[in-house]
Amino acid sequence: MRLLRYLPLLLLLVVGLAVAGPAQRALPRAQDNWSAAIRWGDFDGAINLIDPAIRAEKAPNSIEMARYKQVQISTYHDVGASADYKAGLAVRDIEIGVINRNTLAERTVRYRETWRWDPQAKAWWITSGLPDLWAND
């Protein structure tokens, strides 16, 4: 008898999880993959997570990629995020600690990630591209 009393609540929970769908479950995984790639200096790998249309249009050239090899990332902190799963859009504000490998000087850069859900690929793509680690220079 007690179980029947909680059945509507359980059904509501199951329906809520189904409505959230793959987009909501996939976003944290995509953001973790992106964060790890940037944090560990795998900028070549990070490029694979950029929206394919943007990647084709604005792929970094060899000089730009060489510039990323001149820095080391010391911190990568999420300082705010929001997502609209129905619209398939998400935003995350990031604070990145950047160390210049030549001078060993460290500085902090703010960066806003923008994400787009691709229902056909069932994947989140970053649309903001690689972070501009020289924005404050």
Side-chain angles (χ1 to χ4, degrees), residues 19-20 23 83-89 117 124:
V19 170
D84 181 347
Y85 296 106
K86 287 183 181 178
L89 301 171
W117 172 248
W124 282 95

Side-chain angles (χ1 to χ4, degrees), residues 9-86:
L9 183 61
L10 182 60
L11 287 174
L12 185 61
L13 179 64
V14 169
V15 169
L17 290 174
V19 170
Q24 189 170 2
R25 291 188 301 272
L27 181 60
R29 190 171 45 250
Q31 289 176 330
D32 287 348
N33 290 341
W34 176 261
S35 299
I38 300 298
R39 173 66 183 91
W40 296 109
D42 182 14
F43 296 103
D44 292 318
I47 289 171
N48 294 320
L49 300 172
I50 296 173
D51 185 311
I54 294 170
R55 189 177 351 148
E57 184 181 308
K58 298 181 184 178
N61 61 38
S62 60
I63 294 171
E64 292 167 328
M65 291 306 293
R67 198 169 183 204
Y68 281 100
K69 292 183 186 340
Q70 299 301 313
V71 298
Q72 180 172 335
I73 305 303
S74 59
T75 59
Y76 194 93
H77 294 293
D78 176 347
V79 293
S82 65
D84 181 347
Y85 296 106
K86 287 183 181 178

Side-chain angles (χ1 to χ4, degrees), residues 93-104:
D93 291 318
I94 302 296
E95 202 170 78
I96 304 173
V98 181
I99 299 172
N100 181 311
R101 291 181 190 268
N102 298 315
T103 64
L104 299 180

